[in-house]
Amino acid sequence: MTPQSLDLTGIGKGFGADDVLKTIDLSVRPGEFLSLVGMSGCGKSTLLRIIAGLERPDRGQVSIGGTDVTETDPSDRNLAMVFQSYALYPHMSVRQNIATPLRMRRLSLGARMPLIGRMMSSANALQEIEASVMQAAETLQIAHLLDRKPAQLSGGQRQRVALARALVRSPAAFLMDEPLSNLDAKLRAHMRDELAALHRRLGATFIYVTHDQVEAMTMSDRIALMSEGRIEQLGTPDELYGQPATLTVARFIGTPSINLLPVEIGAEGVVRLFGQDLPIAAPVRHAGPATLGLRAEDLTITSEGLPLRVFRTEMHGADRFVHGHLLADETQHLTLRLSAGEQLAADADGIIHISFAAGRAHLFGADEARIATSLTERAAA
Amino acid sequence: MTVALDMDVPADVTRTRRSTTERRMMWRAFLFVAPACLLLAAIYIIPILVLAVFSVTDYQLGALSTRFIGFDNFTHAFSDAVFLRSLKNTVIYAVIVIPLGVFLALGVALLVYNRKRSRAFWEAAYFLPVTATLVAMATVWQFLLHPSIGPVNAAIKWFGFEPVSFLSNPVLLIPTMAMIGVWQVLGFNMVLFLAGLTAIPKDLYEAARLDGAKSPIDRFLTVTWPMLGPTTLFVVVTTSISAFKVFETVAVLTKGRFGSETLLFDLYLEGFEYSNTGYAAALTLIFLVIILILSIGQTVHLDRKVHY
Amino acid sequence: MARLRALLPNIILASGAFVVLLPFYWMFLTSIRSPAEIFDVSLWPIPKVFDAGENYARAANQVPMARFMLNGVIVCLGILIVQVLTAVPAAYALAKLKFPGRKLLLTLVIAALCVPIQALALPLFVGLAKLELLNSYFAMMAPFFLSVFAIFLFHQSFRSYPDEIIEAARMDGFSEMEICWGLVLRGSLPSLAAFSVFSVVAHWNDLYWPMIVVTDINLAPPPLGMLFFSDVESGANYGALMAGAAIITAPMLVCFLLARRHFIAGITMTGVK
């Protein structure tokens, strides 16, 4: 089956103040790897379950490949899902687990019955199923595990069985609910690569739910960042990192977290930090308190600039994180990223001076939305 | 060699030092288990040994002399028409109670499990017979099934059939008592199945739905039934053990008349009414062997919990 | 059609519940009807002549009904208290102390779980007869003083109690008895509650053993009393008979309806967990 598009229009769940989902509109393109990312409780899993048909939306419509499936049973949506717990049938061998989606679809109810089933199923159908199972198992390199039970497998192997069960038929889309969260860090990084490779090879539509921004950033074509039942921003990983639409997005994406400083937008549109004019101008309608966002790598050590008292450095191999308090306001904690070779020229009191390229700064208004800025002449000069 | 010697010395020292506290703990532990051990010996171990001795004698309570008669009691048992009849009756009783008691309970549990608001009500309703005193309730059943004044026969007559004498027709005695047995065990088994159903992870059902298991029958066969396997085995074992121990209904309803003795009732008559102690001991051992065979499943189940 | 499908499970459950509850309803209904209405098979709940007083009085006077109930309470409480007193320390020692023979004792306990009282009745009866202890409360209670099931259950529950707390308590100078009863058992109160229900229900309803060791009607616990009573009445007065049955079943039924959760947990404990 060719990869299908998937459209959500006006999806809502719950009423009043405790809405789980507030009017979600989302279009997933055929063959796209789209991640739904956000804190726990942001509604991303509920949204995935609505797509799967495991939960009913209170409002809105789900369509797959242009067909409305809002009222369709999950078994008829032709979607495959990988669960966080893998949800492997513990009493079945790996082979039977992988074969289940095909047995359900290709064999008649009589042929699926225990005992009498064998007599009622055609040898041809069984052979086809066996061949598909073999192929899926080989794709995921678990052909040698086919006769084991899930309890005899490691976490990573179970993960592969769950994936094999999903891809044994060609579903319209793959749904994945935090599939890597039960694996240890090293295996998780490895499976990330494999999943991305699998997506490239299959060319299928993937919808991937995770709370881990690294997973979302490394694998996705596009990311929908969710918060409190809304999509905060939908875009490519580059867009989310480089042009965060809201303060929530800016905070969520990136390691170390973005530095945020309170600023004031003057009546004339000039942005002031600790009473000093910055070479950044904002539309005057945003005048008032605002927040300046600075990525750790956009801060540089200079001979003059904001004085910062360093209290800790963290070695990360290729680069080094420097943590400090601003002398101007001790409550403000800043982190900057240095490449490993770079010298940290602090004075006797452990004070360094930092500055930043104004063009790289992000500005957010009191409503937490991004404010488009321009550089003033002073910066150009 | 020297290295090994060096290491041995401190190990020895710690061992002796630890052993004083260890010994004190040990005595304390003995004190703690002493009452239980004495009772275990007095109630279980000695009686079973005595029982084994009785079974090879012609001992009668109050008799002046007692002889060793080898396995005569056992050979006699298998030519004793009453004992064989009681064995047959008990097996018929079990054959009715086990499948009905297990599968009706499973059906009720499946229905009750999916009720959201009314679940507690149904649970209580079906469980009520389990708490009720069976002797009293058997008396009520006797009245309910009365050929002339019982409402059950009134209903049968209303439908235009002949009244059925449930408790005087010898052929119907055991099946009637078995139905009462099912009535009593149903709620117990239902609760066991409900616990088993609660333990099945929800996402298995969800995975099955996405795998294409659209009909409830498919989901039952793919998830529920296999996942309930251990529960079902356990329910079958407990139901069969309680079926082989049927006593109250016989004691109230028939007192063994019309050839309706069950194993335990025959045992009661021989041992305590007729005082054939030696013979009853042999019958008890046969009964015990049957129960132990049935218990193996139960022990395996409990034992697993000890070790994991 | 869809509504009917949604209602179907309820209809099936209701018809099943009708059969299950019919005896209870019939028992109560007959116990408040006059003897003249015995031949009336209608299920209408209001009797023409309200004769509850007559029936219950007859049940209470014909046989010492109050005495049966008192006997039941004495026997059940006596058994429960000794069971807890012997099982808790043993279970604590098995779960938390090291001593030679621990494995053997645990194996014996599990083996004893499979042996029903009916298999031990004969030698125990002979023993009690030799000691001339038949027809006494002691005879009714003695075989149940040790509950291997209680030991097994408390052992399972005590094992999960953290060792660190026990060690800390020892350092603080608590005696082993105080640790066992004051700390560890307190952490297993749900098990204690469930076991109490299990034990009381089992012995309140037991007929086999009292029937063997008690011939004195004044010592009879409720089920044996019921048997005496139904022999006395021998089917003559169903109103009084049902009143007697109602009196005897009422305590357990009322307790069950009041503490439904605990009851279900207690009685089915043998199965779950």
Side-chain angles (χ1 to χ4, degrees):
Chain A
M1 186 173 220
T2 49
Q4 297 287 314
S5 65
L6 211 142
D7 296 282
L8 305 176
T9 33
I11 294 291
K13 177 106 184 146
F15 293 94
D18 41 80
D19 272 4
V20 189
L21 292 175
K22 296 154 187 144
T23 321
I24 301 271
D25 292 292
L26 179 65
S27 289
V28 186
R29 300 166 191 146
E32 181 176 35
F33 194 128
L34 183 117
S35 291
L36 297 172
V37 62
M39 309 276 213
S40 61
C42 69
K44 56 190 190 299
S45 285
T46 310
L47 190 60
L48 192 76
R49 293 167 58 79
I50 286 175
I51 297 171
L54 297 172
E55 267 178 57
R56 262 186 60 93
D58 291 325
R59 299 174 292 278
Q61 183 187 326
V62 181
S63 37
I64 299 172
T67 319
D68 181 0
V69 295
T70 317
E71 299 296 328
T72 308
D73 193 83
S75 52
D76 293 333
R77 294 193 182 195
N78 195 24
L79 297 169
M81 183 152 164
V82 178
F83 291 79
Q84 185 170 8
S85 63
Y86 315 139
L88 301 177
Y89 308 113
H91 56 283
M92 294 186 191
S93 67
V94 168
R95 184 191 308 275
Q96 290 166 321
N97 260 289
I98 301 174
T100 301
L102 298 180
R103 287 170 50 86
M104 290 295 168
R105 287 186 164 76
R106 296 197 193 155
L107 300 183
S108 66
L109 184 62
R112 297 201 296 269
M113 289 290 160
L115 303 175
I116 56 163
R118 274 214 176 272
M119 294 178 285
M120 295 184 62
S121 40
S122 75
N124 228 343
L126 288 179
Q127 258 168 19
E128 272 176 39
I129 290 175
E130 177 62 23
S132 311
V133 169
M134 238 6 246
Q135 202 189 344
E138 271 161 16
T139 309
L140 286 150
Q141 296 150 17
I142 48 169
H144 59 295
L145 303 174
L146 281 174
D147 292 315
R148 298 218 195 146
K149 293 272 172 75
Q152 300 166 291
L153 303 179
S154 70
Q157 289 168 333
R158 282 181 214 180
Q159 164 77 70
R160 283 164 190 273
V161 177
L163 280 169
R165 184 174 67 178
L167 63 81
V168 69
R169 63 204 163 93
S170 319
F174 289 89
L175 311 180
M176 309 211 176
D177 188 4
E178 310 231 8
L180 305 185
S181 61
N182 286 337
L183 302 179
D184 64 55
K186 200 161 181 187
L187 197 54
R188 201 179 310 162
H190 177 72
M191 282 311 290
R192 232 159 48 202
D193 295 344
E194 282 210 30
L195 271 179
L198 194 65
H199 172 247
R200 273 197 306 278
R201 187 164 63 221
L202 296 174
T205 312
F206 275 45
I207 302 178
Y208 189 99
V209 162
T210 178
H211 66 273
D212 182 352
Q213 51 118 354
V214 178
E215 279 177 23
M217 294 290 280
T218 49
M219 292 188 285
S220 317
D221 295 321
R222 284 194 303 162
I223 297 174
L225 195 146
M226 294 184 63
S227 169
E228 291 171 4
R230 272 189 319 260
I231 293 181
E232 290 276 324
Q233 188 172 5
L234 173 65
T236 63
D238 277 344
E239 284 165 358
L240 262 72
Y241 191 76
Q243 307 276 311
T246 65
L247 209 49
T248 311
V249 177
R251 281 203 193 102
F252 195 85
I253 303 285
T255 314
S257 295
I258 195 166
N259 296 304
L260 297 172
L261 291 172
V263 290
E264 187 75 26
I265 302 175
E268 68 286 13
V270 175
V271 178
R272 277 192 211 97
L273 176 65
F274 302 127
Q276 267 188 310
D277 286 0
L278 294 178
I280 303 170
V284 288
R285 66 173 187 282
H286 292 294
T291 307
L292 190 71
L294 296 164
R295 294 279 180 206
E297 63 272 23
D298 294 334
L299 295 173
T300 47
I301 299 178
T302 46
S303 50
E304 54 188 39
L306 284 170
L308 185 80
R309 190 194 303 279
V310 176
F311 66 86
R312 190 159 60 96
T313 62
E314 269 173 55
M315 182 61 187
H316 283 261
D319 46 27
R320 193 155 39 146
F321 296 168
V322 179
H323 301 273
H325 293 299
L326 279 179
L327 283 193
D329 178 354
E330 289 275 348
T331 62
Q332 297 300 328
H333 172 186
L334 246 55
T335 306
L336 58 154
R337 185 203 297 264
L338 304 179
S339 60
E342 227 173 316
Q343 285 299 314
L344 181 66
D347 67 11
D349 295 328
I351 291 179
I352 55 170
H353 296 268
I354 53 164
S355 59
F356 55 90
R360 312 274 303 172
H362 308 276
L363 190 65
F364 302 96
D367 61 352
E368 302 207 341
R370 181 183 186 85
I371 298 173
T373 56
S374 55
L375 299 184
T376 59
E377 280 113 47
R378 238 192 63 197
Chain B
M1 276 317 280
T2 35
V3 178
L5 246 164
D6 280 352
M7 285 173 69
D8 270 351
V9 177
D12 243 27
V13 171
T14 47
R15 195 177 306 145
T16 39
R17 195 185 303 141
R18 202 188 296 147
S19 69
T20 39
T21 45
E22 236 170 43
R23 198 170 299 152
R24 200 180 313 132
M25 279 321 252
M26 197 180 83
W27 281 110
R28 227 168 265 170
F30 282 149
L31 215 64
F32 273 52
V33 296
C37 287
L38 288 175
L39 285 170
L40 194 67
I43 297 173
Y44 284 89
I45 298 169
I46 296 171
I48 287 191
L49 295 176
V50 171
L51 189 72
V53 173
F54 281 173
S55 71
V56 290
T57 66
D58 64 351
Y59 180 61
Q60 291 194 311
L61 191 61
L64 293 172
S65 69
T66 300
R67 269 185 324 125
F68 172 78
I69 54 163
F71 290 99
D72 283 6
N73 282 329
F74 294 93
T75 43
H76 176 231
F78 288 100
S79 56
D80 176 356
V82 179
F83 173 69
L84 291 179
R85 194 167 60 211
S86 76
L87 199 61
K88 192 186 96 190
N89 283 340
T90 310
V91 169
I92 295 173
Y93 179 89
V95 163
I96 300 173
V97 169
I98 296 167
L100 284 179
V102 172
F103 287 103
L104 282 179
L106 177 60
V108 172
L110 287 172
L111 289 177
V112 169
Y113 185 68
N114 288 319
R115 304 299 104 207
K116 289 202 173 58
R117 269 166 298 161
S118 54
R119 178 174 162 169
F121 170 77
W122 297 121
E123 219 178 82
Y126 282 90
F127 198 76
L128 212 55
V130 183
T131 28
T133 310
L134 187 53
V135 177
M137 295 319 289
T139 318
V140 179
W141 275 109
Q142 192 170 31
F143 183 19
L144 276 170
L145 299 174
H146 195 283
S148 51
I149 57 170
V152 172
N153 267 312
I156 291 174
K157 274 184 271 186
W158 189 80
F159 281 110
F161 296 102
E162 281 294 299
V164 183
S165 35
F166 290 102
L167 293 170
S168 47
N169 181 349
V171 184
L172 289 179
L173 278 176
I174 295 293
T176 303
M177 289 195 276
M179 292 319 288
I180 298 175
V182 172
W183 169 80
Q184 231 231 338
V185 84
L186 192 66
F188 184 85
N189 290 349
M190 171 200 71
V191 170
L192 294 186
F193 277 123
L194 280 174
L197 285 171
T198 316
I200 301 177
K202 288 269 176 303
D203 52 6
L204 280 187
Y205 287 105
E206 296 180 344
R209 292 186 77 174
L210 282 152
D211 283 346
K214 190 178 181 186
S215 77
I217 299 170
D218 266 326
R219 288 200 288 276
F220 178 80
L221 288 175
T222 320
V223 181
T224 317
W225 179 245
M227 295 298 287
L228 278 181
T231 309
T232 311
L233 178 73
F234 183 74
V235 171
V236 168
V237 170
T238 50
T239 308
S240 46
I241 290 177
S242 66
F244 272 87
K245 290 202 262 186
V246 57
F247 177 77
E248 277 97 338
T249 29
V250 192
V252 174
L253 296 179
T254 70
K255 300 226 179 337
R257 284 185 304 256
F258 316 115
S260 64
E261 306 92 342
T262 59
L263 206 49
L264 214 49
F265 197 80
D266 185 37
L267 223 160
Y268 169 80
L269 290 179
E270 291 289 351
F272 306 103
E273 294 280 306
Y274 313 149
S275 291
N276 289 329
T277 313
Y279 182 51
L283 297 188
T284 304
L285 281 180
I286 296 170
F287 167 74
L288 185 60
V289 166
I290 294 173
I291 296 292
L292 287 183
I293 291 171
L294 295 173
S295 302
I296 288 170
Q298 191 178 20
T299 316
V300 167
H301 178 88
L302 291 172
D303 209 32
R304 214 175 34 206
K305 280 180 199 138
V306 179
H307 296 303
Y308 292 94
Chain C
M1 205 46 213
R3 276 189 65 112
L4 189 73
R5 272 191 63 136
L7 270 175
L8 196 62
N10 283 316
I11 294 168
I12 297 171
L13 282 173
S15 28
F18 173 79
V19 176
V20 167
L21 297 179
L22 181 66
F24 296 99
Y25 181 67
W26 193 250
M27 171 175 79
F28 180 71
L29 189 59
T30 312
S31 78
I32 59 169
R33 276 176 170 176
S34 69
E37 278 178 80
I38 291 300
F39 296 94
D40 184 355
V41 292
S42 88
L43 295 176
W44 181 247
I46 303 158
K48 294 189 196 82
V49 182
F50 188 76
D51 242 353
E54 169 89 1
N55 287 331
Y56 281 88
R58 191 178 166 84
N61 294 329
Q62 194 88 351
V63 281
M65 201 53 90
R67 188 65 202 256
F68 296 159
M69 308 301 266
L70 180 68
N71 292 339
V73 171
I74 292 172
V75 170
C76 286
L77 279 185
I79 289 173
L80 179 64
I81 289 168
V82 181
Q83 278 179 336
V84 172
L85 284 178
T86 54
V88 168
Y92 172 71
L94 284 172
K96 292 295 180 191
L97 303 178
K98 282 199 192 77
F99 60 95
R102 201 185 73 91
K103 273 248 162 72
L104 175 73
L105 183 57
L106 198 58
T107 312
L108 281 176
V109 165
I110 290 168
L113 276 174
C114 304
V115 180
I117 173 64
Q118 292 88 346
L120 305 166
L122 197 64
L124 288 172
F125 168 75
V126 172
L128 288 164
K130 294 274 173 208
L131 297 170
E132 301 192 342
L133 284 169
L134 294 179
N135 270 318
S136 67
Y137 285 125
F138 178 80
M140 269 192 281
M141 297 190 281
F144 307 104
F145 279 161
L146 179 77
S147 168
V148 278
F149 180 63
I151 297 181
F152 178 78
L153 180 85
F154 288 131
H155 169 254
Q156 293 305 94
S157 163
F158 289 173
R159 266 194 330 168
S160 58
Y161 195 85
D163 286 324
E164 291 85 352
I165 301 182
I166 294 176
E167 277 156 12
R170 275 183 198 144
M171 283 186 216
D172 289 343
F174 282 93
S175 76
E176 215 63 25
M177 273 289 168
E178 286 170 312
I179 295 173
C180 168
W181 292 98
L183 289 175
V184 180
L185 182 63
R186 189 163 297 176
S188 299
L189 286 183
S191 296
L192 180 64
F195 174 73
S196 305
V197 169
F198 170 82
S199 169
V200 168
V201 173
H203 296 115
W204 182 272
N205 291 338
D206 185 33
L207 172 70
Y208 193 77
W209 182 248
M211 200 166 155
I212 290 169
V213 292
V214 171
T215 46
D216 180 356
I217 190 166
N218 282 316
L219 285 174
L224 190 58
M226 185 68 212
L227 207 57
F228 281 137
F229 184 44
S230 62
D231 287 347
V232 173
E233 283 295 335
S234 63
N237 187 337
Y238 275 101
L241 202 56
M242 292 302 109
I247 293 172
I248 279 164
T249 33
M252 289 302 126
L253 292 189
V254 170
C255 290
F256 168 64
L257 293 174
L258 288 179
R260 196 171 43 81
R261 286 262 143 251
H262 287 287
F263 256 66
I264 294 181
I267 295 175
T268 51
M269 201 167 41
T270 39
V272 222
K273 277 256 146 96

